[in-house]
Amino acid sequence: MQKGNISVQTENIFPIIKQFLYSDQEIFLRELVSNATDATQKLKTLASKGEYKGKLDDLRIEIILNEEEKTLTIRDKGIGMTEEEVMKYLNQVAFSSAQEFLDKYKEDASIIGHFGLGFYSAFMVAERVDVLTKSHKKAKAVKWSCTGSPEYTLEDIDKKERGTDIVLHISEDSTEYLAKARIQELLDKYCKFLPIEIQFGTTTVTEYEGEGEDRKEIKTEKDNIINNPNPIWKKKPASLKEEDYKSFYKELYPYSTEPLFWIHLNIDFPFNLTGILYFPKLNNSLEVQKNKIQLYSNQVYITDNVQDIVPEFLMLLHGVIDSPDIPLNVSRSYLQADANVKKISGYISKKVAEKLKSLFKKDREAYQEKWGDIGVFVKYGMISDEKFHDRAKDFVLLKNTTGEFHTIEEYQEKIKTEQTDKHDKLIHIYSNQISDQLSYIESAKAKGYDVLVLDHVIDNHFAQHLEQKLNNTTFVRVDSETADKLVQKDETTESVLTDKEQEKVKSIFASSLGESQSVELRNLATSDLPVMITKPEFMRRMKEMQAMQGMNMEAFGDMHNIVVNTNHPLIAGKMLKMRSEEKKNKFAEYLYMLAKVNQKMLSGEDMSKFMNMSVEFLQEN
Ligand code: ADP
Ligand code: MG
């Protein structure tokens, strides 16, 4: 037996590994199974090149849990290691053979590890690690053993089968990894789509009353293969049917409703990336489910936190991304700085835009039907990603209250004649709450205007975004003005009231509602309400902005303007003709309350006062 010291710079590297290298202890299993996978893939590569002439037979990787012995073994039938290789690869921490191998077999090998530290993650959970290995080359088998200090032992053993057993003697503080369910959970998480078949089994030793060897019965229970080595994202899109994509989606998210559509990503230059991204059904809701995209590196699960790899707005998508160019064991800050990662994000954004465009072009009706779900992605994308805006501006849709869909260009063409104001601005009138704004919508329509539906939380931002991007465009909410003033043209209309009468109307409202309220007289249609409340666009936006920043909005109150429709018979015909000032004041107050009802601004005591006054007025006639 040989003894020696692992060559590391520091006295003892293991505490460092434990603390800094991996934030997640559980990934030791991912690393070791990845190594087993690499070793098996390497053997396959050598065999395909005729450099290994032996039989491959069954190449499956076995994970064996032995609760009695407190060991967890990862067994592969891959290339194995000679004594020299063990010395070279395991004794020199951070010296990985992956690079060496890749350089030699660049084109056809896909190797998971790049880092040269994965193996040592075993010491996060094991107090001793034994490596029993027999190379595919003619060489004696060896056992390397190390207790987590830089000292190790190396001895010849009598191992017949090609490949490597990594035996972890699980330490006292990591006994959770001796539970079958826990290992199963980790395998499901990290190894579900590994390219080599993986079998998970448990070994139990039962002792009997008896002599010698007969006293023990060792039972190994072998479970079924636990992974799917050929996930569909690795296959050619042409070989797949709609059903395949749908059932894969079910496999990933058993409780989700069917996806709307999907994109099969497949690129090998300037970086490698495969994957499938699904557009889930959102139902116009905001319960955004992030962390639904799973990131893989050569079919090894890395994370579902894809924040820096996928553009923010596409985090709403579901599915998998697999790229060997995304580093395995590294920190977030490293990921952010990684040039490949940046390119990947741009590529995905482009692919998504292309897919949406082709759907729009191919079958606009179907596209419109899905708009309720995809609209959020598209708008979010346009706001947050300049390039995406440019790609999407031709297929983003605006829906109006009649249920029609227009592209921006189509819409502006449609409203051009009626809704251009005196400054040549195109006024986009919208409703964010159709049921609350019906009377305003009706008035706008009566004026020949079109009203858009912008009722999603994102629409506020989207409207502002379009105002910035399109220089002749303004959005105003349908209740921000009376219909005649929504689109400000240079027309002035004559009042039916004399100057004196106008003064009178003003003074009635002033004494009834108080001087501080701003009351404006306008000649609206007789079909409009006698008194209307408008919420100026500017004020409303200020308020929304500040509410969003968590500011206290008390100071703003319920800011609104009061518009008296001097054309309405209840004003000129009825109110002005009332005998007593008291009656006039009361009537003015009532009309104001009626306007408040229309804006859902009346509640509590005010509401009951309004009801009483209504009953009173009805009784009078
Ligand atoms: P990496 O996988 O990034 O190369 P690791 O620390 O995980 O780094 O492994 C170090 C090296 O040890 C590997 O490159 C490989 O040469 C060798 N090795 C580890 N596990 C096995 C195994 N199961 N079979 C053969 N060689 C292995
Ligand atoms: Mg590795």
Side-chain angles (χ1 to χ4, degrees):
M1 185 190 290
Q2 285 187 43
K3 286 191 180 179
N5 270 293
I6 294 170
S7 52
V8 284
Q9 303 307 320
T10 50
E11 170 55 22
N12 193 339
I13 195 163
F14 303 112
I16 300 173
I17 291 173
K18 263 195 163 148
Q19 280 174 37
F20 300 116
L21 190 56
Y22 298 103
S23 41
D24 248 348
Q25 213 189 37
E26 64 178 39
I27 57 85
F28 76 92
L29 191 59
R30 176 189 83 186
E31 293 299 325
L32 296 178
V33 179
S34 299
N35 283 351
T37 304
D38 283 352
T40 312
Q41 298 277 50
K42 285 177 188 169
L43 187 74
K44 279 175 141 181
T45 303
L46 292 177
S48 73
K49 301 209 152 248
E51 289 178 33
Y52 174 70
K53 299 210 166 50
K55 275 195 186 146
L56 292 184
D57 289 335
D58 169 17
L59 286 177
R60 70 184 67 172
I61 293 166
E62 287 171 73
I63 316 291
I64 306 146
L65 186 63
N66 188 328
E67 287 172 58
E68 249 98 333
E69 312 256 307
K70 297 192 168 56
T71 60
L72 182 66
T73 300
I74 294 93
R75 169 176 299 161
D76 68 65
K77 302 167 190 77
I79 53 169
M81 284 176 275
T82 63
E83 183 176 340
E84 295 74 48
E85 284 166 343
V86 169
M87 300 282 280
K88 189 169 162 195
Y89 299 135
L90 299 189
N91 287 350
Q92 273 178 273
V93 173
F95 184 89
S96 164
S97 71
Q99 200 53 48
E100 209 178 306
F101 189 87
L102 267 189
D103 289 344
K104 208 165 155 201
Y105 300 101
K106 250 192 182 89
E107 274 76 50
D108 30 30
S110 57
I111 307 300
I112 297 159
H114 292 296
F115 220 64
L117 282 172
F119 169 73
Y120 280 87
S121 66
F123 290 98
M124 294 195 292
V125 300
E127 58 192 20
R128 193 176 103 217
V129 177
D130 298 334
V131 178
L132 297 87
T133 182
K134 181 170 166 54
S135 170
H136 67 290
K137 299 172 198 160
K138 267 212 164 61
K140 54 190 184 192
V142 289
K143 174 177 169 182
W144 177 92
S145 186
C146 181
T147 57
S149 73
E151 289 150 44
Y152 68 89
T153 62
L154 190 67
E155 62 188 301
D156 292 353
I157 51 163
D158 173 34
K159 183 181 186 326
K160 299 245 160 26
E161 318 79 33
R162 176 200 67 227
T164 305
D165 283 9
I166 309 285
V167 184
L168 307 180
H169 298 265
I170 301 294
S171 58
E172 280 302 323
D173 56 3
S174 298
T175 47
E176 62 180 287
Y177 301 110
L178 288 173
K180 189 178 175 193
R182 179 74 173 123
I183 298 301
Q184 184 71 53
E185 180 196 352
L186 294 183
L187 292 172
D188 281 345
K189 180 169 173 185
Y190 293 107
C191 306
K192 204 166 170 191
F193 299 109
L194 268 181
I196 306 292
E197 288 187 348
I198 295 165
Q199 195 168 41
F200 177 36
T202 41
T203 298
T204 44
V205 181
T206 321
E207 300 221 357
Y208 290 103
E209 309 265 319
E211 293 291 313
E213 276 299 296
D214 291 341
R215 285 187 64 219
K216 285 184 182 173
E217 186 190 58
I218 300 174
K219 257 201 224 152
T220 303
E221 167 198 321
K222 288 200 173 172
D223 290 355
N224 293 329
I225 302 301
I226 54 108
N227 62 326
N228 167 5
N230 295 304
I232 72 164
W233 77 79
K234 284 281 177 188
K235 296 179 183 167
K236 290 218 159 58
S239 72
L240 296 165
K241 294 194 184 66
E242 208 177 295
E243 260 338 287
D244 298 323
Y245 289 103
K246 285 183 183 168
S247 65
F248 182 62
Y249 187 76
K250 267 237 131 33
E251 192 179 337
L252 291 175
Y253 318 102
Y255 305 109
S256 295
T257 41
E258 227 171 59
L260 290 171
F261 52 87
W262 46 86
I263 304 171
H264 197 144
L265 304 164
N266 195 337
I267 185 169
D268 36 45
F269 185 82
F271 46 81
N272 262 292
L273 183 130
T274 50
I276 298 170
L277 290 179
Y278 291 93
F279 282 69
K281 232 175 142 42
L282 282 186
N283 293 325
N284 208 22
S285 74
L286 234 215
E287 42 145 321
V288 174
Q289 301 211 23
K290 290 187 175 176
N291 289 353
K292 279 283 193 173
I293 298 178
Q294 302 180 353
L295 179 66
Y296 289 78
S297 180
N298 280 325
Q299 296 171 238
V300 183
Y301 173 85
I302 309 293
T303 178
D304 59 6
N305 183 353
V306 294
Q307 213 168 359
D308 304 304
I309 294 134
V310 171
E312 171 80 17
F313 72 100
L314 293 176
M315 304 259 289
L316 306 176
L317 301 183
H318 296 173
V320 299
I321 295 173
D322 186 344
S323 175
D325 293 323
I326 295 170
L328 247 191
N329 319 323
V330 285
S331 67
R332 221 105 278 277
S333 56
Y334 186 94
L335 265 190
Q336 279 162 352
D338 192 84
N340 272 327
V341 168
K342 286 213 181 84
K343 275 187 239 152
I344 288 171
S345 165
Y347 165 76
I348 293 173
S349 166
K350 179 163 165 260
K351 273 292 169 200
V352 168
E354 282 169 5
K355 175 74 182 187
L356 288 166
K357 188 174 180 176
S358 85
L359 284 174
F360 172 72
K361 286 249 156 92
K362 242 184 14 215
D363 187 349
R364 177 153 174 178
E365 212 149 289
Y367 180 83
Q368 287 178 178
E369 267 166 37
K370 291 175 181 147
W371 185 250
D373 293 290
I374 52 181
V376 186
F377 293 114
V378 176
K379 290 171 185 173
Y380 191 9
M382 289 176 78
I383 294 168
S384 58
D385 179 341
E386 184 102 9
K387 279 191 185 151
F388 190 82
H389 169 95
D390 294 339
R391 296 189 180 110
K393 65 181 190 310
D394 299 326
F395 57 76
V396 65
L397 295 180
L398 300 171
K399 182 184 168 186
N400 67 12
T401 51
T402 332
E404 297 164 332
F405 291 92
H406 297 91
T407 64
I408 295 174
E409 202 184 314
E410 290 164 357
Y411 193 70
Q412 298 205 326
E413 188 59 35
K414 176 188 172 85
I415 63 169
K416 192 166 75 178
T417 345
E418 291 297 327
Q419 292 171 232
T420 302
D421 75 359
K422 58 186 174 197
H423 306 294
D424 268 343
K425 288 244 181 217
L426 280 172
I427 308 300
H428 296 60
I429 303 163
Y430 70 92
S431 165
N432 67 337
Q433 254 305 334
I434 299 184
S435 58
D436 288 358
Q437 293 159 354
L438 272 180
S439 67
Y440 294 88
I441 295 170
E442 288 312 315
S443 301
K445 281 188 173 166
K447 283 286 284 180
Y449 299 152
D450 191 81
V451 182
L452 290 171
V453 183
L454 294 181
D455 56 0
H456 193 278
V457 187
I458 198 161
D459 283 326
N460 243 322
H461 308 277
F462 180 63
Q464 285 182 27
H465 173 76
L466 288 187
E467 285 177 348
Q468 278 168 17
K469 282 280 176 185
L470 314 165
N471 46 25
N472 62 339
T473 299
T474 302
F475 282 81
V476 295
R477 202 164 88 179
V478 68
D479 64 348
S480 67
E481 257 302 348
T482 50
D484 65 318
K485 288 274 169 81
L486 280 170
V487 181
Q488 303 236 11
K489 301 188 177 169
D490 264 336
E491 307 151 352
T492 44
T493 44
E494 291 287 308
S495 174
V496 292
L497 301 181
T498 63
D499 287 357
K500 225 180 129 193
E501 283 169 326
Q502 290 198 40
E503 280 309 309
K504 184 62 195 164
V505 172
K506 273 205 165 163
S507 83
I508 293 169
F509 277 93
S511 64
S512 168
L513 310 181
E515 297 285 349
S516 62
Q517 296 274 24
S518 87
V519 176
E520 202 185 326
L521 305 191
R522 282 196 205 155
N523 313 300
L524 306 176
T526 46
S527 58
D528 288 330
L529 288 175
V531 175
M532 289 180 91
I533 286 171
T534 60
K535 300 183 166 176
E537 188 71 15
F538 168 73
M539 285 300 190
R540 199 177 49 69
R541 286 195 196 185
M542 283 284 287
K543 212 173 148 175
E544 274 166 3
M545 231 166 71
Q546 279 167 312
M548 243 171 44
Q549 288 159 5
M551 289 171 72
N552 186 357
M553 297 312 303
E554 295 287 289
F556 273 85
D558 209 346
M559 206 111 38
H560 59 269
N561 291 343
I562 303 162
V563 176
V564 177
N565 179 3
T566 50
N567 276 344
H568 201 283
L570 281 179
I571 301 291
K574 184 152 183 168
M575 190 180 77
L576 280 178
K577 294 199 174 103
M578 287 178 162
R579 297 232 180 86
S580 80
E581 290 304 306
E582 196 201 326
K583 272 204 157 181
K584 284 175 186 163
N585 285 352
K586 208 166 167 187
F587 194 65
E589 188 188 359
Y590 183 78
L591 293 181
Y592 174 53
M593 286 177 133
L594 197 62
K596 276 184 150 181
V597 169
N598 193 38
Q599 274 280 22
K600 290 205 170 163
M601 285 165 68
L602 216 52
S603 61
E605 269 177 39
D606 288 345
M607 187 49 128
S608 91
K609 187 173 177 188
F610 174 75
M611 297 307 290
N612 290 335
M613 283 172 95
S614 299
V615 173
E616 207 178 300
F617 282 138
L618 288 169
Q619 278 170 342
E620 272 175 22
N621 295 315

